[in-house]
Structures are given as C-alpha cells and as structure tokens.
Amino acid sequence: MRLSSIASVLFLCLLFVSGRATAAEPLRALLVTGGCCHDYENQIKILQAGLGKHLDIDWTVEQYDEKRDRKANVYTKPKWAESFDVIIHNECFGGVTDGEFVESIVAEHVRSGVPAVVIHCSMHSYRNAPTADAWRGLIGVTSKRHEKAKRSLKVVAREAEHPILEGFPSPWSTPNGELYIIERSWPNTQVLASAYSDEEKADQPVVWTNQYKGVRVFGTTLGHHNETMQDDVWLNLTAKGIQWATTADAQ
C-alpha cells in the first residue's frame, strides 16, 4: 500500500475513534414562545418538524401563557443565552411594561453575541414598555399595529440575490396572513421582501435582516396562521434565515 493511502486510512480511523467523522453538531436553538392571539402550542410542533427537514436542530422550548411570570422566566436566568447557537423568538407579550426586564433581554443578546430569529408577534412584544425602543433596535423594525383584514399576502423579493431568498418564488402569495404595519426600519436593517398594504397604500417590509451591536438578526412578520407557517416556502425561507444568522461570514 502506498504511503499516502496508509496515511489516509489512519486519518479516517482517528476520526472514527474520536467521533468526529459524523456530520456537524446540531444547532442548539432556544425557542421562546407563547402569549396571546396565536396557536403557539401547535406552532411549536410546526417549527420543530418543518425546520427539521432543512436543519439539524437540538431544541429547547420555553413556553409561557399570557400572564407571564417574570420570576419564573428563562430571561431572568444568568447568561441564559450563552449555551445556545440561536434564540428563536415566536412570542406575543405586548402588555409587558417592565422596562428593566425588556432591556435585560437585549443586553444578554449583546453580551453573548447569540443571534436572534424574530417571528411575527415578536415585533409587537414589549411595545408598552418604556424601553420598547431597546427591543426594536434589536429586532430591526418598529411596529405597533397590523391591518384589520386577514388575507393572502403577495410577497415580493426586494433583494433577490440575498442567500436567504435563494429559491424564493417571488412573488409568493401566502395561504393567509396578517400584515404588520412597519413604522420604521432601523439603521442596520436590510429589507429583503415586502407586501403591499391595502389600508396604508404602501409596501410593508415582511422579511429582513438586522445587525445590532454585533448580534445578527433575521426577522419576518409572516407567520400569524399555521397554514402559512406550514408552507414549504415559509419553512425554507426561515431555515435560510437561521443559517444566515448563525453563519458569521454570511453576506
């Protein structure tokens, strides 16, 4: 046997023994979910099963009801983000008024550098806190309301070459939808896709990225209805958003 072949065999044997011949480690994801107005119980299952078709994810789920107890909350634990690769926020807690609590969530993202993925009502969470802009700076947009009508949304790519939109069928009509009105996109926000508001007579961002004090953030306001979240287009988009957020050298 040639020397190079022997070396290759020995290298593979070492990998096998060390356990490093397997695929990359799964992403460690913390899903924070719950609150009002959405079917979070089933959306947990949708996210885990649907995103599991695209990514290898080791899930930790923290679910809360509408009467969130600050004392029994993952956000109050020391360095709560540190052991995860990504925090997925699919939560709806607009009634929280504790400004210090809201600031502490943002501060831990910044301290740890752990990226965030923010879905739908996360954009309306903490809007009644005096420090709401700390949260908005992190997620990348300001929104306080949505259209009254529930309807299919025609989503149009604005940055079609961005890796998150790879394979995105622009325009895409969502199965159903609740369009959030975006009052402001923050300085480092890059809008990737939008949908037209019949009520506002203007395009509204629905997919974006943000970079906030070293934290990479992927956001989408799409996902009010389970049928939208179950759609392969939504799942592929969100999976690519997670990949972008957790890849330091991504575009």
Side-chain angles (χ1 to χ4, degrees), residues 67-103:
K67 297 178 181 178
R68 167 176 229 159
D69 180 2
R70 182 182 178 201
K71 293 180 180 179
N73 192 290
V74 66
Y75 293 144
T76 63
K77 298 176 181 178
K79 300 181 179 180
W80 56 265
E82 195 168 82
S83 60
F84 299 99
D85 299 311
V86 64
I87 313 299
I88 301 176
H89 299 271
N90 186 34
E91 51 184 303
C92 198
F93 293 104
V96 173
T97 58
D98 187 336
E100 182 182 350
F101 173 67
V102 174
E103 285 185 316

Side-chain angles (χ1 to χ4, degrees), residues 85-89 109 113-118 135 138-139 210 215-219 241 244-245:
D85 299 311
V86 64
I87 313 299
I88 301 176
H89 299 271
H109 268 290
V114 175
V117 170
V118 290
W135 177 250
L138 173 69
I139 65 178
N210 185 34
V215 181
R216 297 170 71 87
V217 180
F218 166 75
W244 175 87

